[in-house]
Every structure is written in structure tokens, then in C-alpha cells.
Amino acid sequence: MSEGQESTTYPSSAGYARVNGLELYYEVHGTGQPLVLLHGGMLTIDLSFGGILPALATTRQVVAVELQGHGHTGDIDRDPTPAFLADDVVGLLDHLGIGRADFFGFGLGGLTALQLALTRPERVNRVVLASTHYRPDGCHPEVLDARPGSPRLPTESDFREMYEAYAKVAPDPDRFEAFAEKLHPTVHAFEGWSARSLAGMEAPVLLLVGDTDFVRLEHAVEMHELIPGSQLGVLPGTTHRDLPRRADLVVPMVRAFLTPPTDAPPTSAPPAGAPPPR
């Protein structure tokens, strides 16, 4: 466990929601305003958020989801596109009786959260987009090509960890490689969104990216400049896979973003006949 991480917490409830032909697995941790966690590609809830979920659940009702083909949630005959995945998340919110929520999406989960913010803004309060791009060229070429030896790519240990976590809980443990191949174009060759769409976003957005991430720093800065009022955090010495493990940096930034300072109370009106302020 890395510096700043806390021990794993156990959900107060967990189950499956029947949405769009899926048995969508979810967990609920803690109480308070809803915060939905959306994991990265080929990861599980615990692999993406195990190091930060306990801290976030001390003040929030954290709803963690395993998307189509990931973890406990089986695959179906449908491409796992951000549009479909976002529809599944809306179905889960309806199942749980949650009207609006904050979202923290990482990688594939970030694409899903961005899709929600753009197409279902009435369900979204504030959004954390971690390691998220909005066009295919937002990723480094060496990531798109899966170039051997790139320091940006997951290590052999990372891949082994991902496979073991999948095999442990997936309805069909032998589909890891097949689903990884199916998912690849969703993350690296999707059409993306227009700059105009990002410029029209209403939800407050925090962008997080590692300095050795899949996403190019220039692309993250471009998103920051496009999205009105957005905030950008660049984590030093951090790869894509390591970003959600950096609880020492991620938790304080996310907490601060999700709980902005309250506005100062309005000043009382001056008494009648008082001179105007100078």
C-alpha cells in the first residue's frame, strides 16, 4: 500500500441492477451526498479506487460501479461505448433513486463521466475527469501503438494484477483477452466530442492527469482551456495506472473540489437615507 492510502472498506450494500440487458454490479459505501466512481478500462472497483474510496466514503455516499464486461458485470453483445456505458449509469441512478450526483471517472470511466456531463447534465453536479481525453489524438502515440518498453504503459505486474482480479470475480473468467480486444477501440479510436461541446459544459470540472500518463499534457491543458471554469491538476512522478493510487495527492484535491467554500453571506441593505458607500 502506497503512502497516503487507507485500508480497504467494506460496502454497506452491494448488488446488481438490471439495466439495458446487463446485470450491472455496484457497491454503496458511506452516507451523504452521492459520489459515483467509474473505474478504468479492464479494472475493477478495488483496482481503480481501493486506495482512495475509504477516505471519500467518510463524508460521502460513494456509489462504485463495475461497467459492462468488467469485474462482476458480465459482457453482452454490444460495443462498450461511452454512450452505452453512460446510459447504464443513468439506469443505475434510477434503480437507486438518485436524481443527481457528483462523478469521479478514471480512464474509461472518465470518458463515461464526460459523456454524462455532456448529454445528461440534469443528472450531474460536479465532475472529476482523471486521465481523460476528448479526441483520439489526446493520447500519446506510443500508447495507441502499445509500444513495448514505454514507461507510460502498464507493467507486466499491472497486467497480471488486472487479469487475476478479473478471473477472480468475472462471470466468464476466460474472456479477459477477448474483452480487452473488444474494448481497445472504445478507449483509443472513439470519435470523441467537439471543442464546442466542451466549451458549452455547465458542470464544474476538475481534470487530473499524471505527468507520465496516457493523455498528453498539451491535450489536458487544451481541455482545461475549453471547459469553462475548469481546474487542472498534474500529478508529478505519476503514470496512468498510478494516478488513482496517489491517495496522498488525489484525495485532498478531490475533497477540496467537491466541497467548494460557501459563498459569503449577503451584506444587509443600508438604512434608508444613508449616504452611498465611497
Side-chain angles (χ1 to χ4, degrees):
M1 184 174 295
S2 63
E3 182 182 354
Q5 287 190 342
E6 301 181 32
S7 59
T8 301
T9 186
Y10 293 97
S12 54
S13 64
Y16 293 84
R18 288 190 175 184
V19 294
N20 303 325
L22 281 174
E23 294 287 331
L24 190 68
Y25 178 78
Y26 69 91
E27 298 176 357
V28 179
H29 300 250
T31 59
Q33 290 183 288
L35 168 62
V36 179
L37 302 185
L38 302 173
H39 60 77
M42 302 308 297
L43 300 177
T44 61
I45 292 169
D46 190 56
L47 283 185
S48 279
F49 298 114
I52 62 177
L53 195 159
L56 297 174
T58 59
T59 57
R60 290 296 186 114
Q61 180 191 59
V62 174
V63 179
V65 188
E66 289 184 338
L67 301 169
Q68 175 188 340
H70 291 81
H72 297 75
T73 302
D75 191 19
I76 57 175
D77 186 16
R78 184 190 75 176
D79 290 335
T81 65
F84 284 137
L85 300 180
D87 285 345
D88 297 341
V89 174
V90 170
L92 175 61
L93 295 180
D94 292 342
H95 174 81
L96 296 174
I98 297 173
R100 296 175 67 97
D102 295 321
F103 290 85
F104 182 156
F106 167 61
L108 174 65
L111 299 179
T112 305
L114 181 52
Q115 174 76 17
L116 281 164
L118 290 171
T119 62
R120 302 300 298 269
E122 75 280 1
R123 309 303 294 263
V124 176
N125 287 326
R126 305 176 77 85
V127 187
V128 180
L129 300 176
S131 301
T132 303
H133 54 304
Y134 84 99
R135 294 192 318 264
D137 66 355
C139 287
H140 287 274
E142 66 204 72
V143 173
L144 299 176
D145 300 340
R147 200 168 300 166
S150 169
R152 302 181 188 280
L153 294 174
T155 64
E156 287 187 16
S157 175
D158 290 330
F159 280 119
R160 184 168 57 252
E161 185 181 45
M162 292 157 65
Y163 170 76
E164 290 174 353
Y166 179 93
K168 184 176 180 181
V169 300
D172 185 353
D174 296 327
R175 271 191 55 79
F176 181 82
E177 291 186 6
F179 185 72
E181 184 175 343
K182 177 179 179 178
L183 184 66
H184 188 271
T186 296
V187 178
H188 298 304
F190 76 116
E191 224 173 89
W193 300 273
S194 68
R196 176 179 291 185
S197 295
L198 267 67
M201 289 181 67
E202 298 178 0
V205 173
L206 170 63
L207 299 159
L208 297 178
V209 63
D211 62 357
T212 316
D213 211 320
F214 288 0
V215 177
R216 296 184 296 108
L217 292 181
E218 307 96 305
H219 187 77
V221 171
E222 179 184 342
M223 292 180 68
H224 170 52
E225 292 175 343
L226 283 171
I227 300 172
S230 65
Q231 302 174 31
L232 172 63
V234 179
L235 281 63
T238 302
T239 65
H240 176 82
R241 184 66 187 89
D242 281 339
L243 191 149
R245 296 166 170 166
R246 295 297 307 273
D248 55 326
L249 298 177
V250 172
V251 169
M253 286 193 287
V254 171
R255 278 178 168 167
F257 171 72
L258 294 179
T259 54
T262 56
D263 295 333
T267 56
S268 56
R278 296 181 181 274

